[in-house]
Amino acid sequence: MSLQRISLAIIVRNEGRRLKECLESVKDIVDEIVIVDTGSCDDTVRIAKQYTDKVYSFPWGNDFSAARNFAIEQTTHEWILSLDADERLDAQAGDLRCLINQNRYSAYCLPLYALKEAGDYREHDRFVVLRLFQRKYQFQGAIHEYVFVSDPQEIGIAAAPVICHIEVAAAERHVRRGRNIALLKKAVAEHAADPCLQYYLGVEWLGLGRFKLAIGAFQEALRQFSPGQIIFRSPTVRHLIQCYKNDGQLDAALCLCLEESQQYPEYADLFFDAGVLFELKNEYSIAAKWFQEAVRLGTPPIAFFHTDGTEGYLANYHLGYCAEKIGLHKEAVSYYEAALNNERNYYYPLYPLVLLQLARRSTEDVMRYLSERGYFAIPEVAEKLAELFWSAGLPDIGQRCLASIGMRQGAGWELRTRCQLYGGDITGALQSMEQMRHSSFELPLEMRADEIAALLMQGRFEEARGQLWELWRRPAGKDAFRALFCLYKRLCDNTLLSLANRKAAAVLLNLEGRCLRAQTRDFQQQGGFAAVIRAIREILASEAETLTLLIDDLSEKEQDIKRNLEYTCTALRGLCR
Amino acid sequence: MIVKDEEANLARCLNSVRGAVDEIIIVDTGSVDQTKLVAENAGAKVISLAWQDNFSMARNASLELASGDWILFLDADEALEPGSVQVLRRIAEEEHEGYFIKVVNLIGESGSVETSPDIIFRMYRNKPQYRFRGAIHEQIVDVIFEQNNQASFQVAEDVVIKHYGYLNQQIIEKDKKNRNLAIIKKELENDPDNKTLRYHYGIELYRADRFEEAAAELTQTANTVDRGAIYYPKLLRYIALAYYGARNYDLALEAISRGLQFFPNYADLYYYGGLIQLEQRNFAGAYEAFQLALSTPEQPAYYAPFSGSRGFRAYYQMGHLAETFGNEEEALRYYILSMQDNPEFTMALCAIVKILNPRQDPEYTRQAMEKLCDFCTVEATRFIGTVYFSEGAYRLALDYFDRIDSSCLDSYTEVLKAICLIQQKRTLEAIRILDKMPLGHPQYPLARLNKILSFWLLRNRIKVRDLCNDFLSVGLSAETGSVVSMLKETLYKRVSAPPAALGAEGMLLIKDIIIRALDLQEAELAGALLAKLDKATQRENALALSRIFTEYQYWDTALYYAELYVGEHPDSAEGWFQTGDILCHKNQNERACLCYRRALTLDPRQPQYYVKLIKLYQAMRRELLAEAALKYPDMPFFSQLLEEASAE
């Protein structure tokens, strides 16, 4: 058997940056690279030439197939691999050869992961696309062109290698969609019978958020596809479900789910979708059953359009949510844990999990749990957790979350300083703010209020006054100044000034709320925070208008505690379901 | 019957069956006491048989001699209830093959307090093919059933056997458990597939506190045994209890859920489910479980229900839950229901008294309690007196002690009465009582200490010194000795001894003395006594001391100790909570708020922390509104809100 070789055929326009990545991923796998440029005005051609001397130019005529077929014509080998510049191939050197050497098919569909974010494998949809084929085939269709293979028996579906598609920026996507729709409409007029065109039209409308239009297109496509055309039909079904859902037609969506789940009983995604729909209808125990089924089914066969996680971390995350809603606290915990075990990089279940755990475990236990699993080592997660603990009224714990990650600029630094202050390290927090100033970090108004309050607590009235004047000089700082000046007068001179300003009152109420979160181990120090709170309440109580605000604020806080009590004590069921 | 050394019990048993049976056959397995004589005097036929670790063998020997149409078998520590005799005669005329009879196990100290019935096969037709099997927990039911699968059995509802065996001391009990375990184990080796035997083995393991083994054994049995078995519900209950005993709460709850699938009306399962969820601090679950326990119908006898699971015990737990969530009215309602269901269940009574706060509100408490209960017996009067006493309501306690003729008072209660007199400054009367207990009397130390206290509270330096020296010369434990020395020294200005370090025993006395001093508004004396303690002891006991001063509303001293405590234990939720309470009373609402919040975050599973904080917010809002309503009479908005807030 002769050694079969592979040519990469690729068409580009203004893809400089992305093209490099694409070519890097395949340069050692293919035997030849052919690049056809359809009119770039950036450095695309220059980059292309670093990888191959077979760079051609082809005038753009609103026809993708023509361009692609031109590229194929320039190749010299038996097999063609067709990629776009915004894709890369995730392959071992032997993967493609393995397929070719099977000598069973003359064309192969490969899985394509449409990543929702660049970088890692987090959150993607899985399609299969015909991208590896013998040179005898050609592309068809001006848009959403496809390789035409008359005999379906000739097409194999491979589970590897995987093509990764990185989502383009929203603005660019939008421009492309407009262009695509125009082309598609024209194509539909010419080939009304092609359901694929309807499907693509639906995809574009969905992308633009025009659900009603998308529904029409998908319905038409669905009517024409036969159940065996899984590669196209399965995404059509799921997109249609999504459109119904987004359009508020939950029942239509559910009907479709139920029907299709009978058609494809192995298709976990459908069960997941149904779960989401029932969840939206507040039918949590029914939803849970569907999610459980999705988990039980596992990843659907390769031909099915598949959203990663619907059979794993996403389903378990939703199961946790449903369990919580029904009041099955313990089950919720284990679902959230399962979700985190399914996909360590999907952090969202951590949030409700920590809240649930805090309600029944000591903070120390929760911290141990988190650090054993290494979450504090990931700066992004550590920051989110710190924020969570801060808003749960545990600034001292928030501070500990951030302890292990290095000093960072921006929001992280601010959060750390805030946690430090209200966790009881007043002196340390004031130093941090000083450092922030030195590294010309613009202290937000809220933090300036914190700073002045902290200085007042420490009896450093002179410095407090200095900061007040600085605040006064800031154009946006007038209300904050007014508010904090009243506080200063109250604490320093025991004079009660009137506030006469709702915005200033809001500044004080915010500060009061933060002071209430103070967790200090030192009784005397706690007195400092209490003094600020007291002064604020006295100031607010001195006038009818602000007094109303204060009273509202008090009853809001009361409701908060009631909710917490309910969450801790009454949302936990067990024995009698 | 088979007996050995049962002279103490046998007469009671044999007397109880007079008129119910026509002959009595007793197999004696080697008594060395007067058992045989007692038996023969009651008209029994007695045969002797050497004990061979096998109950069935002995029972079958007695059957050989039996000539009646029916066999009733009892143990010597059991007795038939009087009303049962006629019923037995009547049911002997019916068509059944055998009867289950309710056996009430008397437990607790006097036997009158708690009973937990069991339902056991005890009477059947005398046929030669019906013979016992099994070395221990000898079985006859399955034998009869094997011989005659048409046999019909009935529960003899109105027949009751009282079982006195559990009243024995715990040591004997333990011996018996170990003996039983050993015998069953031996038997199981010969007959490993005997399910009934395995069931009894599991229960014996449970009784011997070997919970994990019991749970495993019983679970295994439950998986193989026929679900129609008469002991199946009990088996499921014991699985749950065994896991509960092993503190494996999740599995215990699982066992309960499973049990409820088969027996959805089984009150015991709900009740224990509630207790387990309380352990897990799952209050909502517990509440639901107790409610369900209360809503179950009358329990069938073969459930062998524990008493109170669907009555006074469940009510008590509901009351306790209501109290945990700060709803005293609701709590009272449940405690009263509990007491009405079982007037002898004194825990409910104590809980009621506590809520009524007899120390601060003695007259109201007296009236309320008199309406609720009838303290007509000496015992009841004494009891309520001691309850008031332990709540620190000395005058009220004294009222009740006074109603009892002093010749009927035990010496301990007499000391309590003397203490009440001291707290009324009726010192001479108190001393008259205390002097009745000379050296050698069991209450002497308590009496003597209180005599010292009576003079100490009057600051009678000389008397105290003499009495203390006298008392010390008797030879006291180190701790008591220290306390007595401290008492002596507090009345002198100059400091002669170094501060004392006290352990738990000494501190118990100190706390008592502090309470007594504060009750008489002698805060200075209390302070002088505490000043004699070394710093470490003070810090260690700061929380308890803070609570005492809080109780008697000495806020500053209470705060001093609370602060001392949180300084030492900054992560103690209890400490911050206590501090919050005190600050609340001192009107330092902002600080109280912060303290409660800190307590909450340190231990989020204490409902009372939330409840207190909510109440504090409500109070602050009301206060602000009241001020505003006064200050801005032309703004009806405030007075409206105030009205709403007051209605909360």
Side-chain angles (χ1 to χ4, degrees), chain B residues 497-623:
Chain B
L502 285 184
E505 188 197 340
M507 276 314 292
L508 215 59
L509 281 176
I510 294 283
K511 284 182 242 172
D512 236 28
I513 297 167
I514 300 293
I515 289 174
R516 304 270 294 279
L518 295 183
D519 181 60
L520 288 171
Q521 281 105 47
E522 294 285 5
E524 210 181 300
L525 264 182
L529 182 62
L530 289 172
K532 300 279 170 206
L533 286 176
D534 77 340
K535 271 284 158 207
T537 310
Q538 287 197 24
R539 272 198 297 269
E540 232 164 274
N541 294 280
L543 186 58
L545 292 171
S546 174
R547 285 187 178 138
I548 292 172
F549 282 100
T550 304
E551 177 67 26
Y552 287 88
Q553 307 187 356
Y554 289 95
W555 305 119
D556 291 332
T557 322
L559 185 60
Y560 166 78
Y561 282 109
E563 209 184 316
L564 192 62
Y565 188 79
V566 293
E568 195 72 7
H569 307 96
D571 292 324
S572 155
E574 275 183 302
W576 288 102
F577 180 65
Q578 176 66 24
T579 314
D581 267 358
I582 298 164
L583 289 166
C584 228
H585 282 288
K586 284 172 67 79
N587 248 335
Q588 299 192 21
N589 293 338
E590 290 76 21
R591 297 203 71 167
C593 235
L594 286 175
C595 287
Y596 284 147
R597 277 182 173 268
R598 174 133 182 90
L600 254 180
T601 48
L602 287 169
D603 185 358
R605 298 202 296 156
Q606 298 289 348
Q608 63 268 39
Y609 296 179
Y610 297 84
V611 170
K612 276 283 174 69
L613 186 53
I614 290 168
K615 285 188 175 158
L616 175 58
Y617 274 128
Q618 287 171 342
M620 287 195 291
R621 193 153 48 96
R622 265 200 300 274
E623 201 178 303

Side-chain angles (χ1 to χ4, degrees), chain A residues 359 553-572, chain B residues 325-326 597 600 604 606-619 621-622 644-648:
Chain A
D553 183 61
L554 278 178
S555 63
E556 214 171 279
K557 296 222 163 70
E558 183 190 322
Q559 296 309 323
D560 270 355
I561 299 291
K562 281 184 180 165
R563 265 194 299 275
N564 280 345
L565 174 63
E566 211 163 284
Y567 183 76
T568 313
C569 298
T570 47
L572 321 179
Chain B
F325 281 82
R597 277 182 173 268
L600 254 180
Q606 298 289 348
Q608 63 268 39
Y609 296 179
Y610 297 84
V611 170
K612 276 283 174 69
L613 186 53
I614 290 168
K615 285 188 175 158
L616 175 58
Y617 274 128
Q618 287 171 342
R621 193 153 48 96
R622 265 200 300 274
E644 281 169 31
S646 311
E648 270 165 7

Side-chain angles (χ1 to χ4, degrees), chain A residues 113-117 120-126 238 268-269 272 276 279 290-300 306-322 331-353 375:
Chain A
Y113 286 4
L115 301 184
K116 292 178 184 168
E117 233 175 284
D120 43 26
Y121 268 160
R122 200 187 316 175
E123 288 189 76
H124 61 259
D125 287 336
R126 185 194 75 192
R238 291 203 57 224
D269 296 54
F272 174 83
V276 171
E279 194 183 287
W290 288 82
F291 289 127
Q292 278 162 352
E293 185 62 11
V295 173
R296 195 190 65 77
L297 286 170
T299 314
H306 169 56
T307 303
D308 181 52
T310 49
E311 82 288 30
Y313 62 94
L314 289 177
N316 277 318
Y317 181 34
H318 281 270
L319 275 166
Y321 176 77
C322 291
E331 285 78 354
V333 167
S334 49
Y335 284 128
Y336 288 138
E337 284 181 346
L340 290 166
N341 288 337
N342 287 147
E343 177 54 70
R344 198 170 166 279
N345 292 325
Y346 187 73
Y347 311 122
Y348 298 98
L350 211 50
Y351 204 88
L353 178 66
Y375 285 119

Side-chain angles (χ1 to χ4, degrees), chain B residues 312 316 334-336 338-339 345-353:
Chain B
F312 59 95
Y316 177 79
Y334 280 117
Y335 288 141
I336 290 171
S338 173
M339 234 176 61
F345 185 63
T346 48
M347 282 168 80
L349 183 125
C350 294
I352 294 172
V353 170

